[in-house]
Every structure is written in structure tokens, then in C-alpha cells.
Amino acid sequence: HLGQGYGYQISKVYNAVFPPVTQRSIYYHLRKGIFTQEVEIHTIKQEEGNFSWGKMAEKIYYALGKNAAPKGDARVKDFLAGWKK
């Protein structure tokens, strides 16, 4: 159970478990999920670092929304169990 995550992080998890898709597709579905209330914006954070575009990055953290109906998948659960260690 990821709980919450930002787009790039969600993309990395998804592509590690399922057939790869583009980040553009992940972000499209996150925006669509916000519209359908299956996904909600949890927090927005400004993070400092050495990025190719500058020293600040805005990370939008997403969580399940009120209309989410997660089914659960053992592949995701197993991946996340090993990933957090």
C-alpha cells in the first residue's frame, strides 16, 4: 500500500510491476482520476535539489479519493514490500 505518492514515483512503481507506459499516460490518468474523484491531491511540496531545470521542484502528492475502489493486486503488494526496505 503506497498510501500517497508523487507522479514520477507512481510511474516508477507502475512500470516496475506492469507493462511500461509513458509518464505522460500516468499524469493523464492522475488528472482524470482527480476529475472522477478516484484520486485526490494530498499535498504539494516544494523540494530543493540539483535538477536540470533549476534548484526547486514542485511535487504533487496524490492519494486515493472518495470514489476509489481499489481491488488490490499481489504483484503490487509484493513489489512495495520489497521496495520500502
Side-chain angles (χ1 to χ4, degrees), residues 6 8 45-59:
Y6 55 93
Y8 181 73
K45 296 181 181 178
Q46 301 289 326
E47 295 190 12
E48 289 187 38
N50 188 16
F51 305 105
S52 61
W53 57 86
K55 295 183 180 203
M56 292 293 283
E58 181 179 85
K59 291 185 180 177

Side-chain angles (χ1 to χ4, degrees), residues 6-17 20-24 26-27 30:
Y6 55 93
Y8 181 73
Q9 182 182 45
I10 293 168
S11 173
K12 295 300 265 185
V13 171
Y14 186 92
N15 286 329
V17 177
V21 298
T22 64
Q23 279 187 272
R24 177 178 236 163
I26 295 291
Y27 282 104
L30 287 169

Side-chain angles (χ1 to χ4, degrees), residues 1-81:
H1 179 254
L2 185 60
Q4 63 176 332
Y6 55 93
Y8 181 73
Q9 182 182 45
I10 293 168
S11 173
K12 295 300 265 185
V13 171
Y14 186 92
N15 286 329
V17 177
F18 301 106
V21 298
T22 64
Q23 279 187 272
R24 177 178 236 163
S25 181
I26 295 291
Y27 282 104
Y28 168 82
H29 283 91
L30 287 169
R31 284 190 304 273
K32 183 178 176 184
I34 290 169
F35 179 74
T36 62
Q37 296 183 341
E38 294 171 278
V39 175
E40 64 183 24
I41 293 176
H42 184 266
T43 55
I44 300 174
K45 296 181 181 178
Q46 301 289 326
E47 295 190 12
E48 289 187 38
N50 188 16
F51 305 105
S52 61
W53 57 86
K55 295 183 180 203
M56 292 293 283
E58 181 179 85
K59 291 185 180 177
I60 301 172
Y61 287 80
Y62 300 92
L64 294 178
K66 69 178 185 176
N67 290 338
K71 294 179 177 80
D73 187 309
R75 296 173 293 176
V76 175
K77 182 179 179 181
D78 292 344
F79 177 81
L80 290 175

